[in-house]
Amino acid sequence: MEEFGLKRFITLATPTIQETEDIKQPVTMLPSLMAKILYPTGFAEMKSIEKLIRNSKLDWTVVRIINPNVKTNGNGYAVSFGDTKGKMNVSRYNAAKCMLEAAQKEEWIHKMPIVFNN
């Protein structure tokens, strides 16, 4: 992306990729703990990807999701930057809507919001 002059990068991840502002709560701790125990290779890969993203010169946003398999969209979505209480589920519709809106928010550059259903 840098080679072609592209600046904006938005991707999905789980809260396995952690933000420095993350406080200890289920939504920020369980995904990492489960990944370390159940999927150590995947966990190591996610941590490598995290390092690549953080060290890039891109204007990145990592939208973090947990359990995108819920059937209902609820009453829209909310986000936590790991510093406020979050929930453990999000519909795919709300995850996609959040990603689209993240592309338009300069204040989310170099941020890792956790998206969940209201």
Side-chain angles (χ1 to χ4, degrees), residues 2-4 13 17 26 30 32 34-35 42 48 60 63 77 96-97 99 102 107 111 114 116-117:
E2 291 172 7
E3 181 180 329
F4 289 100
I17 292 182
L30 282 177
S32 274
M34 290 173 56
S48 294
W60 55 262
V63 176
Y77 73 87
K97 188 173 179 183
M99 287 188 75
E107 64 269 22
K111 298 285 184 183
I114 300 169
F116 51 90
N117 282 2

Side-chain angles (χ1 to χ4, degrees), residues 9-117:
F9 178 69
I10 299 175
T11 191
L12 279 177
T14 69
T16 300
I17 292 182
Q18 295 183 320
E19 184 61 86
T20 54
E21 290 86 22
D22 283 355
I23 58 172
K24 292 183 178 184
Q25 60 174 314
V27 76
T28 59
M29 295 182 64
L30 282 177
S32 274
L33 182 61
M34 290 173 56
K36 277 183 196 177
I37 294 168
L38 300 173
Y39 310 104
T41 304
F43 176 79
E45 187 172 325
M46 286 299 288
K47 295 313 257 181
S48 294
I49 292 169
E50 176 184 2
K51 189 175 182 179
L52 285 172
I53 291 169
R54 284 187 186 278
N55 292 332
S56 78
K57 295 176 184 168
L58 301 172
D59 293 340
W60 55 262
T61 300
V62 177
V63 176
R64 298 182 289 171
I65 62 171
I66 304 172
N67 187 24
N69 297 312
V70 295
K71 302 275 188 242
T72 178
N73 296 332
N75 295 317
Y77 73 87
V79 297
S80 168
F81 290 92
D83 57 346
T84 58
K85 188 173 171 108
K87 296 180 184 175
M88 301 284 282
N89 59 54
V90 66
S91 68
R92 292 176 187 186
Y93 174 85
N94 282 334
K97 188 173 179 183
C98 180
M99 287 188 75
L100 177 62
E101 291 177 8
Q104 302 163 349
K105 294 184 180 197
E106 288 188 18
E107 64 269 22
W108 284 14
I109 292 173
H110 297 157
K111 298 285 184 183
M112 298 183 184
I114 300 169
V115 61
F116 51 90
N117 282 2

